[in-house]
Amino acid sequence: MKTLLKILTECASPTGRELPIRNLIRSMVESLADEVSVDVMGNLIARKGSLQPGGMKIMLSAHIDEIGIAVTHVDDNGFVRFTNVGGVRPYTCYSGRVRFSDGTVGVIGMEPTTSVTEVQPLSKMYIDVGATNPADCPVSVGDFGVFDRPFAELGNGRIVSKAMDDRAGAAVLVRLLEMMPENPHEIYFVFSTQEEVGLRGARTAAYHIDPDLGIALDVTLTGDTPKSATMDVALGKGPAIKVKDSGMISSPALVRYLTEIAVKEEIPYQMEVLTGGTTDAAAIQVSRGGVPSGCISIPCRYVHSPSEVVDLADMENAVRLLVAALGQSILLGDA
Ligand code: CO
Ligand code: ZN
């Protein structure tokens, strides 16, 4: 899992520019799935199994895009101005590095402030790629970049990297595809695009697939760091079964089902109520006539920074939970 996570998070592929990560994951899942396709939005869809008696059409979704920047202007001295692609916060930017798809690296500077504790808005920041004028600047208006920070192992099985959101979810789906036991379902493993700008890939994929059940795999915030907001999710205490976030309320029947499976299989789990943010499940849930949907979340510290931290055991346990939940007929009962 660690090596897989390293390979996936080190791929530079921001929202709207998912070709590199899609090709990478396609090379991993092609031999494992019964059918692999790419749709107009760039979603990679791997189907495993076909509908059997007692089975369901299930859509699993993990987004493969990552937050980044897009070039808006190169000034007379070769400094690059940029805008955010997805939820980028100024305080995670200053003095950080950006990598463009052609390999160009730049450092983020900002115009002077009146106080050392003040951070400028993105409109007063710039990227210094070593250029001296627009002609010798290797990037131009419309180019996309990602934040560049090395992958590293911390203590206690904790890993730090950029783009854990949501390559951690993608890694769980790749592992699940490898381990999926015999089952009656037709399962669509969707590696979705443009989640960070509004769940756009999952929305069209859900409409196209028309599933009976939807489960997103994504990261969630934690409440386990100094003076953090009160939130009952901690690193290392298991995957979180989402009850609610600011974009959706999970199907109560699905929450109950997943919880019962976790208890029965003795898989550690946590209940998640997230007050800000949402996942692909919000788009799946309201597709067509509605789809019972929920989300299994990987607890993650410092989400939407270039140094997102997850616990490997939480990811392994998310795979176990999915194997147990999908490896049999699913009776959801009343909502
Ligand atoms: Co995100
Ligand atoms: Zn995400």
Side-chain angles (χ1 to χ4, degrees), residues 63 65 164-166 195-196 217-219 278-279 303-304:
H63 69 92
D65 58 315
M164 288 295 186
D165 178 12
D166 181 29
E195 189 271 355
E196 297 290 359
L217 277 299
D218 208 334
V219 297
T278 195
T279 73
V303 173
H304 283 206

Side-chain angles (χ1 to χ4, degrees), residues 8-22 41-42 63-71 83-88 98-103 142-148 162-163 165-167 192-197:
L8 293 181
T9 58
E10 284 184 341
C11 180
S13 209
T15 303
R17 293 289 182 273
E18 293 95 353
L19 182 66
I21 185 68
R22 179 168 61 246
M41 290 294 288
H63 69 92
I64 55 174
D65 58 315
E66 64 182 296
I67 57 169
I69 60 97
V71 175
T83 188
N84 62 300
V85 178
V88 174
V98 170
R99 179 178 295 273
F100 293 88
S101 55
D102 68 348
D143 285 352
F144 285 52
V146 299
F147 300 97
D148 196 27
K162 76 167 179 68
D165 178 12
D166 181 29
R167 308 281 164 76
S192 67
T193 56
Q194 300 195 31
E195 189 271 355
E196 297 290 359
V197 291

Side-chain angles (χ1 to χ4, degrees), residues 8 10 15 17 23 37 59 76 83 96 102 112 121 135 150 155 168 196 203 208 212 234 243 251 255 262 296 305 333:
L8 293 181
E10 284 184 341
T15 303
R17 293 289 182 273
N23 285 343
S37 60
M59 174 172 165
D76 290 344
T83 188
D102 68 348
E196 297 290 359
R203 185 162 293 132
H208 178 73
D212 304 314
V243 176
S251 152
V255 170
I296 296 176
S305 83

Side-chain angles (χ1 to χ4, degrees), residues 69-288:
I69 60 97
V71 175
T72 55
H73 174 73
V74 179
D75 77 14
D76 290 344
N77 297 314
F79 291 105
V80 175
R81 297 287 180 161
F82 63 96
T83 188
N84 62 300
V85 178
V88 174
R89 286 152 205 143
Y91 59 80
T92 65
C93 289
Y94 176 62
S95 82
R97 295 181 197 184
V98 170
R99 179 178 295 273
F100 293 88
S101 55
D102 68 348
T104 297
V105 171
V107 59
I108 302 174
M110 68 180 182
E111 297 173 14
T113 54
T114 49
S115 146
V116 289
T117 57
E118 197 186 323
V119 181
Q120 294 280 26
L122 296 184
S123 59
K124 295 191 172 187
M125 292 187 178
Y126 54 85
I127 302 167
D128 181 350
V129 294
T132 57
N133 62 68
D136 74 2
C137 183
V139 299
S140 48
V141 173
D143 285 352
F144 285 52
V146 299
F147 300 97
D148 196 27
R149 254 348 128 83
F151 178 99
E153 200 172 347
L154 309 177
N156 296 305
R158 289 159 183 199
I159 304 290
V160 59
S161 181
K162 76 167 179 68
M164 288 295 186
D165 178 12
D166 181 29
R167 308 281 164 76
V172 166
L173 286 195
V174 171
R175 272 287 172 271
L176 178 66
L177 198 46
E178 288 170 358
M179 295 174 56
M180 204 56 221
E182 247 347 273
N183 69 82
H185 309 299
E186 184 164 305
I187 307 181
Y188 293 84
F189 293 74
V190 177
F191 299 91
S192 67
T193 56
Q194 300 195 31
E195 189 271 355
E196 297 290 359
V197 291
L199 323 175
R200 294 173 191 169
R203 185 162 293 132
T204 61
Y207 186 90
H208 178 73
I209 292 167
D210 192 13
D212 304 314
L213 184 71
I215 301 176
L217 277 299
D218 208 334
V219 297
T220 191
L221 307 181
T222 66
D224 62 350
T225 51
K227 296 193 179 176
S228 58
T230 308
M231 184 178 178
D232 219 27
V233 172
L235 227 56
K237 292 192 174 169
I241 298 170
K242 188 186 293 288
V243 176
K244 175 193 185 306
D245 61 26
S246 58
M248 77 163 324
I249 296 167
S250 300
S251 152
L254 179 58
V255 170
R256 199 181 316 127
Y257 176 73
L258 292 173
T259 307
E260 282 168 7
I261 293 281
V263 170
K264 181 163 161 272
E265 301 291 323
E266 299 182 340
I267 298 165
Y269 72 98
Q270 320 179 57
M271 302 309 284
E272 175 200 353
V273 176
L274 178 67
T275 55
T278 195
T279 73
D280 281 349
I284 303 170
Q285 186 176 50
V286 295
S287 184
R288 293 180 182 251

Side-chain angles (χ1 to χ4, degrees), residues 29-40:
V29 303
E30 199 121 56
S31 61
L32 301 168
D34 295 324
E35 185 186 3
V36 172
S37 60
V38 175
D39 69 10
V40 175

